[in-house]
Amino acid sequence: MARRAVLLLLGIAGGLLLAGSARAYTNAGPISEEIQNLFWAITLFAVVVAAVVFGILAVFLVRYRESVSPRPTSWVEGDRNLEILWTVIPTIILIVIVIISVPVLVYTDTIPPPDTTVRVVGTQFIWTFYYEDGTTSSPDLWIQAGTVVKLEVTATDVVHSFAVPDLGIKIDAFPGHMNHWWMQGDVPGDYLIQCAELCGLEHAKMLASVEVLSEDEFDAWLTRRRAEQTAGTSDLGQETWEGVCSKCHGLSGEGGIGPALAGSVVIADPEAVEDLVRNGRRTMPAVGAGWTSEQVTALTNYLRENPPGGG
Amino acid sequence: MAARAETRTPAWQRGKVVSWLVTTDHKRIGILYISSALVFFVLAGLMALVFRLQLSQANADVLSPERYNELITIHGTAMVFLVAVPFLTGFANYLVPLMIGARDVAFPRLNALSYWLFFLGGAILMLSFFASGGAAQNGWTAYPPLSVQQPGNGQDLWILSLHILTASSLAGAINFLVTIHNLRTRGMTWTRIPLFVWSIELFSWLLIAVLPVLAAGLTLLLLDRGISIGPWEIQTHFFDAAEGGAPVLYQHAFWFFGHPEVYIIVLPAFGIISEVLPVFSRKPVFGYKAIAASTVAIGFFSMLVWAHHLFTVGLPISLQAFFMIASMVIAVPTGMKIFNWLATLWRGNLHFDTPMLYALGFLSIFVMGGLSGIYLAAFPIDWQVHDTYFVVAHFHYTLFGGVMFAIFAGLFYWWPKMFGRLLDERLGKWQFWLLFVGFNLAFFPQHLLGLEGMPRRIYTYADESWEGYNMGSTVGSYVMGIAILVFVWNVWRTTRSGPRVGNDPWQADTLEWYTTSPPPPHNFDDVPYVTSARPLYDLRRRLREASGFRGSL
């Protein structure tokens, strides 16, 4: 019995080590790098503490089991020095952890001089991004590698949380309140954005990605995007349909959580569509309350030219 | 005595069923609490088994998002309010008067009211699945504006249920405090009451301190959802940003209650462990005063840490630092307890009976839960893992691995006290190993999922690299389900054929074992004068000295 218990306890300790050696998460920016360093530092303490506690436990279970220790050989009811010892040592460990955590806190919580600012707006079940020059993108975000992007995070309906695990970002988006945060991606690539606060039925599908581009690529993207949006020839309408509307109404308007739109006359009426997306109706949230008029027009144009379900 | 009690009890109250319905006996109420909690435990556990199926694979299609959100919401709410708290309230009901040498709690009828309010609140929560629009779907935290916007009555019934449970717990807490302060027997000073009683003292104070804040938050939530009284319609905007309200206000109210609630649950679990470990080590508990003092310290600090649940809402940096340090501080008294328990095992005579196995299981799992808590308290890491499966893993290590293992230790330990029969040891050990292995299989992988970024409360995921851990977790949860079946079978079998084992099968030291098992309605015919924290040990020693018997008793 005792042997089995010890084996299992050792198994747990081994599991902890395994956790320590597991890939935590990709880190593609300075914030996640800082957090990851802190993670490993604390893991070091955690493994030592776990080894000590489980080691003591295992030794005691073997040495003092009934069959080898037929009667208690100590009747001590307490020991002041020991109590002081195991109060002071954990306190010191925790002070060390606080000391190494605070700089990471200050670093992360202090926004460096930003190269650009992006407004991040959460709406069931989509993120929309507004860039400094008036460009809009949704559901994905594009940023330039190596730049400090200041984030102004808010929501239009319920509480969301803007999370990019690979970049160490998680900041809540509250309606009626602006949270300021920052992000920086150093390694070009695309990284998952996932809403981290339960925000309704399709919370799980509030996914997007942040595309970290090199300077040239980013400039090219932004210039093209700006020009297209001004000219009304961008893909913004299609992106909005696929990123926003189709989450509830289906990609070809076949319906889902929301009613089927295929064949609906309302979608051919730009004013009715604008009223719906800006104000919502019954269970439909006001997804477009914060959209620019460019985005609304892009959507209505797209719907007129490409009625869902072929029309 | 029996004859007198019979003449006082009206005939209609003497029936087998009716006598339970009208009882004001703390022991019967304790058993009612524990058995109801067991039923709710099975129900809420079954919910978990259903949604674990949905999560076992990427893009699974077992549950719609509505059903999934209902199940996680009611699973969480029920496990906290209808399982953990009432299990421990049941133990407190049964044990506190016996442990301090009293005949009953101070207010027996208020005690019965507490139980029936709890029963009503639990029934409302479970039946809310049949409400228009289904049960509440917004998580056990019910953050507005989402919870204000859910159509139908599920969220309203959730609020109603919690209001009733709050009233029940408040009445219970007051009752325990008055009992502990006024009804201790002669010689039962504050340094001689069992450590479990100390934990119930703090449990009660914490409930009284924080439940009103929850009740206030819930009332505002209800008003925001809108109520109508006769011709008046009331619709407030406390949490509605468009009208000048603040959604984050609710989060503060909820967690000002919610975090102490964790300790409200875990302190009595600690209390159970402090009773079980010394008995099965055949030694006095190591550091009685230190353990009692750490209980008080944990109770105090638990009210200063709530905002570590709000690290991502955009708090000022000074507040973040304060709550980080307070959250770390609480690890010190918790560590103290763990080291004192280890020292209790030191040079003991360890008996691995089922209660001891559960206590040791508690110890090893709780250490893990405590360590993952340190990561979460260091909030730069919390920014990474907040609202991911890392958090889910952490609180299941503390609340299931910690609290439920302690509850099973208590059930196997005090079962012969309550019913005069032992639960089957062989089945008990099978159950323990199934539960221990199943638990670690179910929840350890969730740490890794959280580190990889899997958020909690999502009904589906597309990332197939998460499938392996999730499948492991689902398999583990079913192994736990089998373990619970073994327990139910054990209870079923031993109520018929369990061995009768006398008044004190474990050679325990506390006063509840002084009386018969099960005890008579009035608990004790006489209570010995208490001269230490271990009155029964003293009694055995005096008997031994008087009889000149040299062997072990």
Side-chain angles (χ1 to χ4, degrees):
Chain A
M1 184 97 289
R3 254 168 235 286
R4 258 192 293 171
V6 169
L7 266 175
L8 238 104
L9 291 174
L10 288 178
I12 294 187
L16 193 87
L17 286 169
L18 195 94
S21 58
R23 181 180 71 97
Y25 39 85
T26 330
N27 84 60
I31 299 179
S32 59
E33 195 177 315
E34 289 283 330
I35 294 178
Q36 194 153 341
N37 290 340
L38 182 62
F39 176 86
W40 290 122
I42 295 182
T43 301
L44 191 69
F45 287 108
V47 168
V48 171
V49 172
V52 169
V53 172
F54 287 125
I56 293 174
L57 186 58
V59 169
F60 285 5
L61 292 190
V62 173
R63 281 192 58 183
Y64 305 122
R65 66 186 196 270
E66 196 187 352
S67 49
V68 296
S69 170
R71 64 180 59 82
T73 52
S74 156
W75 209 249
V76 182
E77 295 189 32
D79 185 297
R80 179 172 299 181
N81 291 335
L82 274 176
E83 298 291 348
I84 291 172
L85 185 75
W86 59 53
T87 307
V88 169
I89 291 179
T91 306
I92 292 171
I93 293 178
L94 290 170
I95 289 174
V96 173
I97 291 178
V98 168
I99 288 173
I100 59 176
S101 299
V102 166
V104 185
L105 161 72
V106 175
Y107 172 78
T108 316
D109 209 317
T110 315
I111 304 173
D115 298 304
T116 182
T117 301
V118 173
R119 176 163 296 189
V120 179
V121 180
T123 302
Q124 285 169 327
F125 300 97
I126 187 81
W127 296 104
T128 311
F129 303 96
Y130 301 94
Y131 300 76
E132 264 181 341
D133 65 352
T135 304
T136 304
S137 76
S138 181
D140 297 334
L141 167 68
W142 278 264
I143 63 171
Q144 183 185 328
T147 59
V148 173
V149 181
K150 186 179 170 194
L151 303 173
E152 297 176 344
V153 184
T154 187
T156 57
D157 41 23
V158 300
V159 184
H160 302 275
S161 188
F162 180 71
V164 190
D166 293 333
L167 297 178
I169 307 297
K170 188 172 288 137
I171 183 75
D172 291 357
F174 279 92
H177 174 80
M178 191 70 76
N179 266 331
H180 299 274
W181 208 247
W182 66 289
M183 70 192 290
Q184 179 176 338
D186 287 338
V187 185
D190 66 297
Y191 305 100
L192 184 73
I193 300 174
Q194 178 143 28
C195 179
E197 184 67 62
L198 179 64
C199 61
L201 294 180
E202 290 297 336
H203 165 58
K205 300 224 169 129
M206 192 160 168
L207 300 162
S209 61
V210 46
E211 310 276 344
V212 179
L213 301 179
S214 66
E215 187 177 355
D216 295 345
E217 283 176 322
F218 180 77
D219 286 344
W221 174 82
L222 194 64
T223 316
R224 180 168 49 83
R225 183 94 183 165
R226 185 80 285 258
E228 286 175 356
Q229 285 189 6
T230 315
T233 58
S234 72
D235 294 336
L236 186 59
Q238 186 178 353
E239 285 167 13
T240 307
W241 168 258
E242 287 171 1
V244 186
C245 313
S246 75
K247 291 260 170 70
C248 298
H249 297 289
L251 256 183
S252 34
E254 70 273 19
I257 289 177
L261 294 184
S264 159
V265 286
V266 179
I267 54 168
D269 177 353
E271 278 172 32
V273 171
E274 173 154 10
D275 180 47
L276 268 172
V277 298
R278 287 220 188 270
N279 303 314
R281 191 168 69 191
R282 289 201 296 273
T283 55
M284 169 159 171
V287 285
W291 291 354
T292 57
S293 53
E294 266 176 17
Q295 190 174 1
V296 176
T297 313
L299 177 66
T300 50
N301 286 344
Y302 173 77
L303 287 179
R304 202 174 42 225
E305 286 154 24
N306 306 282
Chain B
M1 192 72 210
R4 226 171 63 203
E6 217 164 276
T7 52
R8 277 185 191 167
T9 314
W12 66 273
Q13 294 187 0
R14 282 183 224 146
K16 219 171 187 180
V17 178
V18 177
S19 67
W20 281 89
L21 297 181
V22 301
T23 186
T24 56
D25 179 346
H26 72 99
K27 296 181 293 297
R28 287 191 150 201
I29 291 174
I31 290 170
L32 284 172
Y33 261 112
I34 289 172
S35 45
S36 315
L38 194 62
V39 171
F40 288 128
F41 177 61
V42 169
L43 290 174
L46 288 173
M47 293 175 200
L49 293 188
V50 175
F51 65 69
R52 271 317 318 171
L53 270 189
Q54 164 73 16
L55 291 172
S56 61
Q57 289 174 332
N59 304 313
D61 206 12
V62 179
L63 289 170
S64 68
E66 289 94 335
R67 295 291 90 77
Y68 179 84
N69 287 358
E70 282 175 12
L71 287 177
I72 58 162
T73 301
I74 304 301
H75 166 80
T77 310
M79 282 298 187
V80 170
F81 291 96
L82 306 183
V83 179
V85 173
F87 255 129
L88 298 163
T89 309
F91 279 121
N93 250 298
Y94 198 97
L95 295 168
V96 166
L98 286 169
M99 283 179 157
I100 63 172
R103 293 203 155 186
D104 205 319
V105 291
F107 308 118
R109 281 197 283 184
L110 184 66
N111 200 20
L113 180 69
S114 291
Y115 170 75
W116 290 106
L117 283 176
F118 151 68
F119 185 84
L120 179 67
I124 289 173
L125 189 71
M126 288 299 170
L127 293 175
S128 70
F129 279 104
F130 304 106
S132 78
Q137 298 171 359
N138 308 297
W140 86 285
T141 49
Y143 283 179
L146 189 63
S147 55
V148 172
Q149 291 171 3
Q150 185 187 334
N153 296 118
Q155 192 65 49
D156 300 313
L157 288 171
W158 182 90
I159 294 170
L160 176 66
S161 159
L162 259 58
H163 268 143
I164 293 172
L165 293 168
T166 301
S168 156
S169 284
L170 275 177
I174 292 167
N175 215 340
F176 290 135
L177 282 182
V178 178
T179 305
I180 298 172
H181 282 254
N182 293 292
L183 300 184
R184 281 169 288 132
T185 188
R186 292 167 308 141
M188 184 66 83
T189 62
W190 285 101
T191 51
R192 293 176 193 163
I193 59 174
L195 286 165
F196 180 74
V197 178
W198 263 112
S199 71
I200 296 303
E201 171 84 9
L202 266 294
F203 164 89
S204 308
W205 277 117
L206 282 174
L207 282 171
I208 291 173
V210 301
L211 277 176
V213 180
L214 173 71
L218 293 176
T219 305
L220 301 188
L221 191 63
L222 186 68
L223 293 175
D224 266 18
R225 285 179 61 81
I227 58 170
S228 53
I229 308 170
W232 297 287
E233 301 260 335
I234 301 173
Q235 166 80 59
T236 60
H237 304 283
F238 292 103
F239 307 129
D240 180 359
E243 303 285 340
V248 76
L249 175 65
Y250 173 86
Q251 300 191 7
H252 280 284
F254 184 85
W255 286 112
F256 184 81
F257 148 81
H259 200 86
E261 172 77 358
V262 174
Y263 290 93
I264 286 167
I265 294 168
V266 100
L267 284 177
F270 288 164
I272 292 173
I273 299 304
S274 299
E275 298 301 328
V276 169
L277 282 180
V279 169
F280 293 90
S281 309
R282 303 289 189 262
K283 265 186 71 190
V285 71
F286 195 94
Y288 172 98
K289 284 184 185 166
I291 293 180
S294 67
T295 304
V296 178
I298 291 172
F300 176 75
F301 286 114
S302 75
M303 292 197 284
L304 299 177
V305 298
W306 78 90
H308 70 209
H309 297 267
L310 282 71
F311 277 167
T312 61
V313 304
L315 291 176
I317 196 164
S318 52
L319 276 186
Q320 307 219 13
F322 172 82
F323 282 107
M324 170 168 93
I325 292 169
S327 307
M328 298 261 178
V329 165
I330 218 165
V332 175
T334 312
M336 248 169 98
K337 278 185 192 290
I338 286 167
F339 288 115
N340 277 297
W341 289 329
L342 286 176
T344 304
L345 303 176
W346 175 67
R347 300 184 77 173
N349 164 224
L350 307 184
H351 288 63
F352 296 106
D353 296 308
T354 312
M356 181 66 156
L357 287 186
Y358 276 102
L360 294 170
F362 163 91
L363 201 59
S364 45
I365 293 173
F366 197 80
V367 168
M368 297 280 292
L371 289 173
S372 59
I374 299 288
Y375 288 87
L376 292 171
F379 53 75
I381 295 179
D382 193 67
W383 285 327
Q384 187 77 47
V385 294
H386 181 76
D387 268 325
T388 68
Y389 265 86
F390 192 89
V391 174
V392 179
H394 164 70
F395 68 70
H396 281 92
Y397 264 78
T398 52
L399 292 184
F400 193 101
V403 175
M404 278 315 294
F405 272 69
I407 286 170
F408 278 116
L411 283 173
F412 278 88
Y413 177 55
W414 282 300
W415 198 269
K417 177 86 272 177
M418 293 176 182
F419 303 105
R421 292 172 191 269
L422 213 56
L423 280 171
D424 188 273
E425 279 283 304
R426 202 171 52 88
L427 286 176
K429 283 171 184 166
W430 266 103
Q431 183 207 344
F432 169 77
W433 287 110
L434 283 170
L435 202 60
F436 191 79
V437 172
F439 172 82
N440 283 295
L441 183 58
F443 293 106
F444 195 84
Q446 296 187 357
H447 290 111
L448 307 174
L449 282 172
L451 290 176
E452 294 203 354
M454 180 170 169
R456 63 192 286 206
R457 294 173 172 169
I458 52 171
Y459 77 93
T460 189
Y461 54 91
D463 191 337
E464 285 173 6
S465 69
W466 292 345
E467 272 188 330
Y469 292 145
N470 269 304
M471 182 51 96
S473 186
T474 301
V475 171
S477 70
Y478 277 81
V479 175
M480 289 161 76
I482 294 169
I484 302 308
L485 274 183
V486 173
F487 180 73
V488 172
W489 167 242
N490 195 347
V491 170
W492 176 264
R493 229 183 61 155
T494 47
T495 43
R496 275 151 193 77
S497 60
R500 295 191 178 275
V501 285
N503 294 342
D504 182 10
W506 311 118
Q507 289 189 49
D509 296 333
T510 40
L511 212 48
E512 77 270 26
W513 300 100
Y514 179 69
T515 183
T516 55
S517 298
H522 56 284
N523 289 354
F524 300 97
D525 287 334
D526 69 303
V527 184
Y529 185 84
V530 177
T531 53
S532 80
R534 282 171 296 124
L536 262 64
Y537 169 77
D538 296 341
L539 214 61
R540 280 198 295 268
R541 196 188 51 197
R542 263 180 269 144
L543 269 175
R544 198 162 49 215
E545 285 164 5
S547 65
F549 175 69
R550 297 210 165 272
S552 126
L553 258 174

